[in-house]
Amino acid sequence: MANLLPSKLLGVTTSIVSPTSTPSPDSSSSSPSPEIIKSLSPRGGAPLTGDSSLIPSKYIVDEKHSKPNSNSSSSSSGQSSSFNTHPAKISPSAPPIHLTRAPPSTLLDAPARAAMSLPNGMTASAQARAVRGSSESRTPEYEIDEDGLGVPSSYKNGNGGEERTPLLSPTPTYSNNYNLNMKPSLSRSSSTGSTSSNRGVLRRIFIDRSTTPSQHLTRPTFPPPSLSTYSPIPPKPLTLLAKLNLFINQSISIILSTYFLIFVVLWAFTAECCKALPKWVWPDRPKKFPWDDENYWKKEGKKISKDPSDYARQVGMDIEHQTVETEDGYYLKMHKVIDPKAEPRSDGRGGFPVLILHGLFQSSGSFVTSEDRSLAFWLAKNGGYQVYLGNTRGVFDMGHRNFSRNDPRFWDWTIRELAMYDLPALVEHVCRETGYDKIAFIGHSQGNGLAFISLSLGMCPSLGKKLSVFIALAPAVYAGPLTHGFPFTALNKMEWSTWKRFFGVLDFIPLMRWAYDYAPARLFATLGYIMFAFLFGWTDANWLHRRKTKMFRFTPTPVSSASIFWWCGKGGFADRKCTLDDSLERWFDNRFPPLSIYHGGRDYLVLAEPLIERMEKKEKDVKVIKVTKLDKSEHCDFYWAAEAVEWAYLSFMDDIESTRPKYPDEEESPKEGTETNIDGIEDGSD
């Protein structure tokens, strides 16, 4: 039997039922306790094997030890497992089989761990065998209750109750001195870390039901880091020798990465000068707008700050700083826009909540630097929404429950962790703060790229039930033509071992962080614009030039070296050209929220056309309510362009209004919608 059942399964079963407490066929005089019988009572499904001769005697129970109300047909069907809904045929002469069922969090952890590329060697083979042999076999559907406990819908006991076994996602591994009961002290009592509600987001089994039952074991929707040469850092505390080795390697990487950055900046500066030569001879006249009070903003908005609150006060609003803790212990900065003129609804709640998430190398500050036409302030004032600006880990000097920012374990994450932990924590925080069951989500570039990953099968697809609409700005799913040029063509040839030598294992190019902290604002903004204009093909053609220093006061922000390796290194996004496995027939199910896509005609970093085509041909469960192409828009012009209100903001509000739940004081009659399906593509060109 040891050859048929994995050792981990046997270990779990023997830990639940000892030989002395489980009756054998020969010990008919001893009767098990009611509690034992209840815990071992069969569940709906099919046995792991139909040959009773292969079952050890301690797992075979005499028929009179079964439940009093069980009939002959149920006893002959054998023990059931949640893997196969088709019962195996057992000989009538064979004794009834009662395999001990381990908690679902133990048996069904392999699919989740495989999808998240975590160790699962002990259970993967058992899961594959359990679903093999029937094309109709499928994984069970799970329901998540309010306490965060997941139960299969088929696991109902005779009294109508549910089996209260928490279905945990793999628990993050910390150092040996880590206390699981430790409660962090956060700056706000309402933070995610102060209640157990956000743990319900991740306390589940991630089910991938697409194509084949075992697909989540062998071909997860999100390609695991193992496809590249990336290797996570061991969670053990660093020894003295390891710290010394880290210091030497980081010193070498700082020197090499600094030379690399200087080379890129000089190359970019030369390219920018060449492009600017014609403008020096024939300068462009700045475009004037009737709504722009240039003299006022040059005087009142001249302050350059690293605090988003300063920009909110310039427009008569304020920003509240909040702290959110993720399931794996990271503290995230959340900025809530406070409009003093906002009025509560009839039920006492504020306006409908909107969560906005930034792109790579950016932060929430990107949405507050366009003065009164900043995306965050405009939505709060004109839409009456409660606007929350999220930030991913490491931004605004946020830390970790156990690791310092100088610890390599603090920076050991990629977009997978952002999708698994950061986004669910941010969404849960906004829902709890506002009292709404659903919120609107706006993501730019990496901000929506990680959302597509999070909502995909095998990750956190049930998160889609908390989103009323998903507005994707410059969707980062398919790579654009810029990834075919330098420096991407050089970086995507680098193995992880080589990458670590050049860029280290902490934040990517620490010189950028030091410049952010200590360099003069105008110098930092000028160099930042030149570098990103060269790397990502940005221009300031659609911006108000006086805002440029403010915009790049928050760009670039610290990002882990491992994360940039995922984007640019060998086997990463720039190499594969897609964040998900494009060969799969299905990425999402019907839990995916209504989707609105905005892409620019001059955005060469990402491509939206392949995503739109896939949504139309393969993702039949996804409701695409709008596809808008702005011919003159570049990668960040959806919120940085001088005419962003006319180009995009009004359409954003239309998306939110057409999908949000109605307020109690609104009419019961349905509002006329302005939705268009994927066949009616809007063209935002002038």
Side-chain angles (χ1 to χ4, degrees), residues 17 29 64 72 75 104 159 162 174 180 221 266 294 315 346 430-431 468 542 571 644:
V17 183
S29 59
K64 62 184 176 182
S72 60
S75 62
N159 300 326
E162 294 180 343
Y174 300 111
L180 289 176
T221 308
L266 290 177
E294 184 175 3
V315 298
S346 60
V430 175
C431 288
S468 64
N542 299 320

Side-chain angles (χ1 to χ4, degrees), residues 355-535:
L355 172 63
I356 308 177
L357 193 58
H358 59 84
L360 184 66
F361 285 119
Q362 293 187 315
S363 70
S364 59
S366 300
F367 306 109
V368 300
T369 55
S370 297
E371 298 151 357
D372 57 339
R373 292 168 71 89
S374 300
L375 177 59
F377 305 146
W378 193 91
L379 289 176
K381 180 179 180 180
N382 295 275
Y385 305 124
Q386 299 183 72
V387 178
Y388 287 79
L389 306 176
N391 291 278
T392 54
R393 57 188 62 188
V395 182
F396 286 109
D397 294 326
M398 299 302 288
H400 187 274
R401 186 192 309 153
N402 298 294
F403 305 144
S404 70
R405 291 178 65 92
N406 293 325
D407 193 320
R409 293 171 293 179
F410 177 88
W411 298 100
D412 188 26
W413 49 266
T414 66
I415 196 174
R416 181 175 69 89
E417 284 72 27
L418 305 185
M420 278 190 57
Y421 299 111
D422 290 20
L423 182 60
L426 294 172
V427 171
E428 277 292 303
H429 176 82
V430 175
C431 288
R432 185 179 57 256
E433 279 266 318
T434 60
Y436 284 85
D437 296 329
K438 289 176 177 277
I439 68 172
F441 175 72
I442 302 176
H444 172 252
S445 193
Q446 179 186 257
N448 62 61
L450 64 90
F452 280 109
I453 295 172
S454 183
L455 296 170
S456 65
L457 297 169
M459 295 297 281
C460 311
S462 60
L463 185 65
K465 295 181 178 180
K466 293 184 177 292
L467 304 180
S468 64
V469 65
F470 176 11
I471 301 176
L473 314 180
V477 178
Y478 288 92
L482 272 179
T483 58
H484 297 279
F486 180 85
F488 299 101
T489 52
L491 296 178
N492 64 20
K493 294 181 174 60
M494 296 179 67
E495 304 274 353
W496 175 240
S497 58
T498 306
W499 183 280
K500 289 191 297 182
R501 189 174 301 278
F502 271 86
F503 302 109
V505 294
L506 301 180
D507 53 326
F508 182 70
I509 309 184
L511 181 62
M512 293 193 300
R513 171 168 50 90
W514 299 336
Y516 175 84
D517 292 334
Y518 304 112
R522 294 190 181 278
L523 176 62
F524 180 81
T526 300
L527 295 178
Y529 168 76
I530 290 175
M531 181 178 68
F532 282 93
F534 170 72
L535 294 176

